[in-house]
Amino acid sequence: ERPPTSWAIALSDDCDECGPGEPRVVLTLEEIGRAGSGLISHLGPDSARRLRGAIAAALREIGEPPGD
């Protein structure tokens, strides 16, 4: 059985590794009940668009409208 997970999307411009002042989309995934032990990804605009496209494609694959 898969553990329940939570996710969050945020915007940030303080990623030291990304370059100061360079805005990023921050994706956080973690197991519910284990706050602070998850995975955080700082996505640039191109990566964020690829993620959006992948989610839309997955939704179409299961017969759901991809949305806006």
Side-chain angles (χ1 to χ4, degrees):
E1 187 171 313
R2 295 182 186 111
T5 57
S6 66
W7 58 270
I9 300 282
L11 299 175
S12 175
D13 65 354
D14 64 352
C15 175
D16 292 336
E17 295 84 19
C18 305
E22 192 172 325
R24 295 292 182 165
V25 174
V26 180
L27 169 62
T28 303
L29 298 168
E30 58 191 14
E31 186 177 342
I32 292 176
R34 298 193 59 194
S37 65
L39 176 69
I40 298 172
S41 182
H42 293 257
L43 306 172
D46 290 338
S47 293
R49 280 190 283 277
R50 283 197 316 269
L51 177 60
R52 179 181 64 188
I55 291 171
L59 285 167
R60 282 192 295 274
E61 187 74 23
I62 63 170
E64 293 291 327
D68 293 334

